[in-house]
Amino acid sequence: MVYAVGLMSGTSLDGVDAALVEISGKNETTSVELLEFLTCPFEEKTLQKIRETLSLESSDVEKICSLNIELGELFAKAVLMVCDKAGISSDELSFIGSHGQTLFHIPFARADFYASTFQIGDPAVICERTKTTVVSNFRERDMAVGGQGAPIVPYSEYILYQKPDTTRLLQNIGGIGNVTVIPKSGKLADIVAFDTGPGNVIMNELCLYFFDQEYDKDGLHASRGTVDQALLKELMTHPYIQKSYPKTTGREDFGKQFTATLLKKWQLPPEDFIATATMFTAKSIAKAVKEFIEGDTELIIGGGGSYNQTLVSMIKQELPNVQVLIQEEIGYSSEAKEAIAMAVLANQTLQHCTGNVPNATGAKKAVPLGSITYY
Amino acid sequence: MVYAVGLMSGTSLDGVDAALVEISGKNETTSVELLEFLTCPFEEKTLQKIRETLSLESSDVEKICSLNIELGELFAKAVLMVCDKAGISSDELSFIGSHGQTLFHIPFARADFYASTFQIGDPAVICERTKTTVVSNFRERDMAVGGQGAPIVPYSEYILYQKPDTTRLLQNIGGIGNVTVIPKSGKLADIVAFDTGPGNVIMNELCLYFFDQEYDKDGLHASRGTVDQALLKELMTHPYIQKSYPKTTGREDFGKQFTATLLKKWQLPPEDFIATATMFTAKSIAKAVKEFIEGDTELIIGGGGSYNQTLVSMIKQELPNVQVLIQEEIGYSSEAKEAIAMAVLANQTLQHCTGNVPNATGAKKAVPLGSITYY
């Protein structure tokens, strides 16, 4: 067993998740145990800079050049903090797997744009500050072999969650929602994974707009509102929701611009608006997973959305034949799941083993993911 | 000996330089021989996209995301072309060192910007298309230990050019000019290197403006003009030219904007304007290297500027006590120098050896450079 840290900085912009794990083996023999976890929140100033670089209007090459290093420093800080919390020195780490902050994702080529994905957070800075080898930029290699670069966690989920007698639907609800289907006693090749649609992104944008709050804590606003059926019906006609898997989406499709358009078109009380957005996420998840329900089936919710009680009960209501659980209920950390996955992928890459699931991303073959910056 | 390819895509935007080398050893025992070289020019459409992403006004996160992959494909094509020209398969390569296209460089932190550097050209794409391990992003690690991330070639220059009885000034003239001073019988620690100021960048901008030509072929326009002493005097007062080494600059300081300001302020015949810009490059080089002249001293000019005969003769005129030569005159390829350096740096990194020269970049220590994407 060696120590490693996985770093995730998701589309929710909650901050940097750092998971300290003990890990050994590779491929199906991988064993990984979570020792410590923390989220290092972004300061408002940094958050502002990230938001600027995410937008077509306010991003530019200078801001991106600088933010790449600034985030590298922050990611390194998160590593040092999680080590400190666990009482070990970063010198004792064998490696770090860092996802980086996604600035943009173009799953399919169109007009003058190549299919591409773009994460920043300089691995060289993380490497120097922590005196540890870093594996980074996991998504690009999958896209280089024809994949959509997403979802990126199914390999790790297969390792951690496979069960002989139960189909498990692992539903992550970050900014965007994504599901990994692990059929009972299935092999790696049987796994299906795709983005279900919006996660918290629309709700968060609405909370920011109406209440100047980052997100709907515990789903309180949504719990006080009434779902507007007309708006919900329109939302469910969104082409992404109607499309079959494999498919992948991003903040580009359901973020600031999308929400602004809704706000312009629909005049609703704030809490009804948020309740409807919450139900949209619930219904889009239910629609996406329905075809995989067979016998004993569990839907295990992870990510920030698992703490939104209104959202979770709406999902339960939409999926009456499924046992809906949150990660903590099966003994896993919901928050830590994606960060742990980055440690698992890095462990694969350092042993020249593959980390993508072609069935999930649409890639032509399984490949090792990421680039290695050796200390 | 193994085969390797070094890739350079410089600030001149001439295209992708690919050098196929045979290489062995490491550190001072490195032996490297150029087998084949070519420049794969950018198509006008690609050039346009690069220019857009270089500019603060027209760059955005989507264009950068896409161009990273587009350039990765182009870099891979250049590797396949140089292998083809040499009659070998890319399968036979041991590794590729890819510099990437620099989009931005902030040598020192200022206001809200971190000291940072930003190169693109996805290594995962190069790796998959060529079936070869790629080392990329060399500059970031040097900056992570306090260096300016430039110049990046001195390590390779030391390996290739050291001479016991002659001080050698290796002057590269790309978009920007940079010099490496290799004192007679000096050690790696004695090497000094820095950017001298503009290389071809101002001349090129002027040729584009006046003649819709990419550059001043053979220095013909400059040869027909007369240097304007007033403009030259003003140019030589530029703070960068007055500053002592270590120092580093980029297109940001002497590029499109700088030239546009000159064009607004000074009304001169086109050929006088170009002659003056050419003399400015010559004089800034002479000023920068003067203090290093001691006994037998050679100034060896490389890069696109070495083919500008007017520029070379102006430099000779400014440095009467120095033997001014171009790379080809000492049996080296001027064009291939930087691309070869990328293969040398990759060779170091893959053997966990350092590649920066702290005395040149201002880094606190020597470190291995770049990230490795294993095939």
Side-chain angles (χ1 to χ4, degrees):
Chain A
M1 297 289 269
V2 297
Y3 292 131
V5 169
L7 291 174
M8 183 72 204
S9 182
T11 48
S12 299
L13 304 182
D14 306 327
V16 190
D17 295 338
L20 174 67
V21 301
E22 264 196 312
I23 193 164
S24 67
K26 61 181 182 182
N27 297 330
E28 277 86 351
T29 71
T30 307
S31 158
V32 55
E33 195 191 333
L34 181 64
L35 300 182
E36 195 52 88
F37 176 78
L38 56 77
T39 301
C40 185
F42 293 126
E43 285 178 34
E44 186 47 43
K45 212 173 128 185
T46 310
L47 206 50
Q48 185 52 37
K49 287 184 193 172
I50 299 175
R51 288 211 185 96
E52 277 180 29
T53 59
L54 289 172
S55 136
L56 287 185
E57 290 70 32
S58 55
S59 60
D60 70 39
V61 64
E62 185 178 36
K63 288 176 187 167
I64 291 170
C65 178
S66 172
L67 188 63
N68 180 39
I69 303 303
E70 182 167 356
L71 291 183
E73 298 284 1
L74 268 181
F75 294 172
K77 204 177 115 193
V79 173
L80 298 177
M81 280 170 68
V82 78
C83 288
D84 197 48
K85 196 174 166 190
I88 72 160
S89 157
S90 75
D91 292 0
E92 297 173 62
L93 295 175
S94 274
F95 60 86
I96 294 163
S98 175
H99 177 271
Q101 179 67 49
T102 295
L103 292 192
F104 218 81
H105 189 76
I106 306 173
F108 296 105
R110 56 183 159 75
D112 260 357
F113 293 100
Y114 279 64
S116 50
T117 188
F118 185 36
Q119 284 78 35
I120 63 168
D122 184 22
V125 167
I126 306 173
C127 172
E128 275 301 324
R129 301 296 173 264
T130 61
K131 304 187 196 317
T132 304
T133 292
V134 177
V135 188
S136 61
N137 292 77
F138 297 108
R139 297 186 191 267
E140 293 175 359
R141 184 73 168 271
D142 178 74
M143 296 193 86
V145 291
Q148 295 182 30
I152 200 79
V153 293
Y155 186 87
S156 165
E157 292 178 320
Y158 172 70
I159 295 299
L160 293 168
Y161 292 86
Q162 53 182 317
K163 218 176 162 182
D165 51 0
T166 310
T167 291
R168 285 184 138 178
L169 310 170
L170 307 178
Q171 177 67 45
N172 186 66
I173 308 179
I176 293 299
N178 61 274
V179 71
T180 304
V181 180
I182 306 177
K184 57 186 79 171
S185 66
K187 299 232 177 318
L188 190 58
D190 302 325
I191 290 187
V192 169
F194 56 95
D195 290 340
T196 51
N200 304 308
V201 61
I202 307 175
M203 301 178 238
N204 289 359
E205 289 291 346
L206 291 172
C207 282
L208 199 64
Y209 177 80
F210 286 123
F211 302 107
D212 199 25
Q213 291 168 354
E214 293 290 330
Y215 64 102
D216 185 10
K217 195 168 177 341
D218 300 329
L220 222 61
H221 290 305
S223 74
R224 293 183 187 130
T226 307
V227 173
D228 185 280
Q229 294 300 332
L231 170 54
L232 181 64
K233 201 174 158 193
E234 181 178 296
L235 287 168
M236 288 300 292
T237 64
H238 189 289
Y240 187 81
I241 307 300
Q242 295 301 320
K243 209 162 141 183
S244 298
Y245 79 90
K247 59 181 182 176
T248 173
T249 184
R251 295 181 76 87
E252 303 84 76
D253 291 335
F254 293 104
K256 201 172 237 9
Q257 214 136 9
F258 181 79
T259 310
T261 309
L262 290 183
L263 282 164
K264 205 171 280 176
K265 185 169 172 195
W266 295 81
Q267 269 75 46
L268 293 177
E271 286 167 337
D272 290 4
F273 224 129
I274 294 170
T276 310
T278 309
M279 184 56 103
F280 177 39
T281 292
K283 251 191 142 60
S284 64
I285 290 169
K287 181 171 162 49
V289 305
K290 258 175 188 157
E291 67 179 287
F292 303 105
I293 301 169
E294 203 199 330
D296 282 352
T297 304
E298 293 174 357
L299 180 97
I300 304 162
I301 305 177
S306 68
Y307 303 115
N308 182 326
Q309 289 155 27
T310 310
L311 177 60
V312 172
S313 64
M314 284 174 171
I315 294 171
K316 284 181 179 167
Q317 171 191 326
E318 294 295 316
L319 291 169
N321 299 322
V322 171
Q323 193 179 3
V324 176
L325 301 159
I326 68 168
Q327 292 275 348
E328 279 74 3
E329 293 176 290
I330 61 159
Y332 281 105
S333 162
S334 173
E335 307 170 300
K337 199 180 90 166
E338 297 202 304
I340 294 170
M342 296 309 123
V344 171
L345 290 181
N347 181 56
Q348 289 290 104
T349 306
L350 286 162
Q351 296 177 83
H352 301 274
C353 296
T354 62
N356 61 335
V357 175
N359 222 12
T361 64
K364 285 187 207 80
K365 61 176 180 172
V367 282
L369 303 179
S371 302
I372 304 171
T373 307
Y374 284 105
Y375 182 67
Chain B
M1 297 293 270
V2 297
Y3 292 131
V5 169
L7 291 173
M8 183 72 205
S9 183
T11 47
S12 299
L13 305 182
D14 305 327
V16 190
D17 295 338
L20 173 67
V21 300
E22 263 196 314
I23 193 164
S24 66
K26 62 181 181 180
N27 297 331
E28 278 85 353
T29 70
T30 307
S31 159
V32 56
E33 196 190 334
L34 181 65
L35 299 183
E36 195 53 86
F37 176 80
L38 56 78
T39 300
C40 186
F42 293 125
E43 284 177 31
E44 186 49 41
K45 211 173 128 186
T46 311
L47 206 50
Q48 184 55 34
K49 288 184 192 172
I50 299 175
R51 288 211 186 96
E52 278 180 28
T53 60
L54 289 173
S55 135
L56 288 185
E57 289 70 34
S58 54
S59 60
D60 70 40
V61 63
E62 185 177 36
K63 288 177 188 166
I64 292 170
C65 178
S66 171
L67 188 62
N68 180 41
I69 304 303
E70 181 167 355
L71 290 183
E73 298 284 2
L74 268 180
F75 294 171
K77 203 177 115 192
V79 173
L80 298 177
M81 280 170 68
V82 79
C83 287
D84 197 50
K85 196 173 165 190
I88 72 160
S89 156
S90 74
D91 292 0
E92 296 173 62
L93 296 176
S94 275
F95 60 87
I96 294 162
S98 174
H99 177 271
Q101 179 67 47
T102 295
L103 291 192
F104 217 81
H105 189 74
I106 307 174
F108 297 105
R110 57 184 158 75
D112 260 358
F113 293 101
Y114 279 63
S116 49
T117 188
F118 185 37
Q119 284 78 38
I120 63 168
D122 185 23
V125 167
I126 306 173
C127 171
E128 276 301 324
R129 302 297 172 264
T130 62
K131 305 190 197 313
T132 304
T133 293
V134 177
V135 188
S136 62
N137 292 76
F138 297 107
R139 295 186 192 267
E140 294 177 357
R141 184 73 168 272
D142 178 73
M143 296 194 87
V145 292
Q148 296 182 29
I152 200 77
V153 293
Y155 187 86
S156 164
E157 292 177 320
Y158 172 70
I159 296 299
L160 293 168
Y161 292 87
Q162 53 182 319
K163 216 175 163 184
D165 51 359
T166 309
T167 291
R168 285 184 138 178
L169 309 170
L170 307 179
Q171 178 67 46
N172 187 66
I173 308 178
I176 293 298
N178 61 274
V179 71
T180 303
V181 180
I182 305 178
K184 60 186 78 172
S185 66
K187 300 233 175 318
L188 190 58
D190 302 326
I191 290 185
V192 169
F194 56 95
D195 289 341
T196 50
N200 303 311
V201 60
I202 307 175
M203 301 179 238
N204 289 359
E205 289 291 346
L206 291 172
C207 282
L208 200 63
Y209 177 81
F210 287 124
F211 302 108
D212 200 25
Q213 292 169 352
E214 294 288 330
Y215 64 102
D216 184 11
K217 194 168 177 345
D218 301 328
L220 222 60
H221 291 304
S223 75
R224 292 181 187 131
T226 306
V227 173
D228 183 281
Q229 294 301 329
L231 169 55
L232 181 63
K233 201 174 157 191
E234 180 179 295
L235 287 168
M236 289 299 292
T237 65
H238 189 290
Y240 187 82
I241 307 300
Q242 293 302 318
K243 210 162 136 185
S244 297
Y245 78 90
K247 58 180 183 176
T248 173
T249 187
R251 295 181 77 87
E252 303 85 77
D253 290 335
F254 294 104
K256 200 172 236 12
Q257 214 136 10
F258 181 80
T259 310
T261 310
L262 290 182
L263 283 164
K264 205 171 282 177
K265 184 169 169 193
W266 296 82
Q267 270 73 47
L268 293 177
E271 286 167 338
D272 290 3
F273 224 129
I274 295 170
T276 310
T278 309
M279 183 56 100
F280 176 39
T281 292
K283 250 191 143 59
S284 64
I285 290 169
K287 180 171 162 48
V289 306
K290 258 176 188 157
E291 66 179 287
F292 303 105
I293 302 168
E294 205 199 327
D296 281 354
T297 304
E298 294 175 358
L299 181 97
I300 304 161
I301 305 177
S306 68
Y307 304 114
N308 182 326
Q309 289 154 30
T310 310
L311 176 61
V312 172
S313 64
M314 283 175 172
I315 294 170
K316 285 183 178 166
Q317 169 191 328
E318 293 295 315
L319 290 169
N321 299 321
V322 171
Q323 194 178 3
V324 176
L325 302 159
I326 68 168
Q327 292 275 349
E328 278 72 3
E329 291 175 290
I330 61 161
Y332 282 106
S333 162
S334 173
E335 305 171 303
K337 199 180 88 166
E338 297 203 303
I340 294 171
M342 296 309 123
V344 172
L345 290 181
N347 182 56
Q348 289 290 104
T349 305
L350 287 162
Q351 296 177 84
H352 301 275
C353 296
T354 63
N356 62 334
V357 176
N359 223 11
T361 64
K364 284 187 207 79
K365 60 175 181 173
V367 282
L369 303 178
S371 302
I372 305 171
T373 306
Y374 284 105
Y375 183 68

